[in-house]
Amino acid sequence: MSKQLTLEKEIEDNDLRITTSAPGKVILFGEHAVVYGEPALSTAISLRVFNEVSITSRPFECENPYLREIISLYGIYVNTRTWGDLPVASGLGSSAAYSVSTIAGIEYIHTKRLDLMKIARNGFEVEYNAQGRASPNDTSVATLGGYVILSRSIHSGFMWRIEKGNIFWNIHKMKLTPLKIVIVYTGKPSKTGEMVALVKSLYEKYENVRAAIKRIGEIVLEAVDLIKSNDLDSIGKKMRENHELLRKIGVSNSELDNIVKVLSRYCYGAKITGAGGGGSVIGLLREGASKRILEAFRGSGYTLYFVETGMEGVTVEGFDS
Ligand code: PMV
């Protein structure tokens, strides 16, 4: 489908229809530390949500909590038909990709352009209201694509600031070299709320946990430089160090550690991605390792995804003919 297709196309029933897409994400470095104001580095992956968005004049009962929030935010009735290769409920940002691609469709129908800042802000509001809590990480990556840094301080690539109550996040976009990543999804949902609460209690008690959080923040910025120079060995080393620190702050377990250990045989480095306690592990792939990794995890019941990073953010795919 062409991006050039014109907007002025109404189909028979007068619904306006548009197809958009948005990427999923992985957190490469900095999960949990970001809760304490340290930076986190995430990237858009080559798994996407595609979304046919239509604005309709016919009212309907909406069961999807994200779409319900979008309908209430815009005060219009919206239908979506969604497909793609991004799995749901696996910590890869599928709800953010859905919300952002829906909002982008509505915005484009109204204004014939994509105002990324508005889409990212509205996407965050929708996630926040639908989930009861959220950081703007996933919706920022789904909107901007590439590599995204969230931090309290301002670095190069600063885009905008998002605030909620008395918390704020500075959002940065960086164009860095694409990496080849394997994601091993355990099938067990990552326990974000529980893990954040656990780290909080340890953070308040133990100096070494506070030091680990601080060190994770440093690793994020060191990793950005290493990705810039495509130093895969050193990026892998930082992943291993970041994983050790995540263990120290209590969010790993023997199952996740074992996945990291297996991946480390075939990858430059591996670590938990996201909250931990379940969810997924990522590895930075060595050339030609995919087959052996598939072999190593055969029969494990885990789902493996081989992805590229730094992919395009939300985009208009075109209109249905
Ligand atoms: O599991 P995910 O992808 O939702 O990541 C959670 C990341 C945390 O740093 C643990 C929490 C947060 O809100 O940033």
Side-chain angles (χ1 to χ4, degrees), residues 25 27 30-35 91 133 135 138 190 192 196 273-275:
K25 69 96 199 5
I27 301 178
E31 48 275 273
H32 287 288
V34 68
V35 174
R133 76 175 277 289
S135 85
D138 292 12
S190 59
T192 308
V196 169
T273 185

Side-chain angles (χ1 to χ4, degrees), residues 8 26 82 132 183 250 264 276 280 286 289-290 294:
E8 283 74 28
V26 290
T82 309
I183 302 166
S264 298
S280 300
R286 286 185 187 277
S290 324
L294 282 170

Side-chain angles (χ1 to χ4, degrees), residues 6-267:
T6 50
L7 174 72
E8 283 74 28
K9 182 175 186 314
E10 286 189 345
I11 61 164
E12 283 131 36
D13 60 1
N14 284 330
D15 286 1
L16 285 166
R17 255 168 235 258
I18 185 170
T19 302
T20 57
S21 75
K25 69 96 199 5
V26 290
I27 301 178
L28 290 174
F29 295 95
E31 48 275 273
H32 287 288
V34 68
V35 174
Y36 299 86
E38 299 294 341
L41 174 65
S42 302
T43 184
I45 56 174
S46 48
L47 299 172
R48 297 183 84 78
V49 162
F50 290 82
N51 209 347
E52 185 192 73
V53 181
S54 54
I55 296 178
T56 172
S57 49
R58 292 178 298 267
F60 64 93
E61 220 25 71
C62 178
E63 281 174 13
N64 173 338
Y66 298 94
L67 186 55
R68 212 165 37 222
E69 287 300 328
I70 293 169
I71 288 171
S72 113
L73 182 69
Y74 280 90
I76 51 173
Y77 286 100
V78 180
N79 276 309
T80 57
R81 192 169 64 83
T82 309
W83 68 100
D85 47 13
L86 184 61
V88 296
S90 55
L92 301 180
S94 63
S95 64
Y98 170 79
S99 300
V100 161
S101 58
T102 304
I103 290 167
I106 298 167
E107 287 289 333
Y108 199 87
I109 286 171
H110 282 149
T111 65
K112 302 183 188 178
R113 57 188 278 271
L114 296 183
D115 176 344
L116 294 184
M117 185 164 79
K118 186 171 181 196
I119 293 167
R121 286 187 193 287
N122 286 349
F124 171 54
E125 286 302 319
V126 164
E127 285 259 295
Y128 192 95
N129 293 336
Q131 290 172 191
R133 76 175 277 289
S135 85
N137 188 59
D138 292 12
T139 40
S140 299
V141 181
T143 305
L144 288 167
Y147 289 79
V148 169
I149 296 183
L150 255 67
S151 68
R152 295 262 162 91
S153 49
I154 292 185
H155 307 269
S156 70
F158 174 72
M159 301 294 291
W160 52 70
R161 171 181 287 212
I162 292 190
E163 291 169 19
K164 191 84 200 168
N166 54 0
I167 314 175
F168 69 87
W169 298 265
N170 290 312
I171 314 293
H172 307 74
K173 178 175 180 180
M174 310 217 66
K175 216 168 180 278
L176 301 172
T177 327
L179 301 170
K180 287 192 162 50
I181 296 279
V182 56
I183 302 166
V184 179
Y185 174 50
T186 58
K188 300 176 181 85
S190 59
K191 303 166 188 154
T192 308
E194 204 179 298
M195 291 295 122
V196 169
L198 172 70
V199 175
K200 184 169 182 274
S201 71
L202 299 174
Y203 184 89
E204 282 161 4
K205 268 194 218 142
Y206 301 112
E207 173 52 36
N208 66 337
V209 169
R210 292 192 288 275
I213 293 283
K214 191 161 173 293
R215 176 65 197 133
I216 291 173
E218 291 166 2
I219 289 177
V220 173
L221 301 180
E222 290 163 6
V224 168
D225 288 335
L226 294 170
I227 299 171
K228 269 184 198 157
S229 54
N230 204 25
D231 182 349
L232 299 176
D233 275 315
S234 304
I235 300 166
K237 237 186 197 163
K238 297 289 172 204
M239 290 173 82
R240 290 199 291 274
E241 187 186 352
N242 195 158
H243 184 74
E244 280 310 308
L245 293 162
L246 288 168
R247 287 183 44 156
K248 252 191 202 154
I249 65 172
V251 299
S252 193
N253 57 36
S254 54
E255 183 180 11
L256 297 171
D257 287 344
N258 191 49
I259 298 171
V260 167
K261 198 169 132 196
V262 174
L263 280 182
S264 298
R265 292 187 206 131
Y266 313 102
C267 293

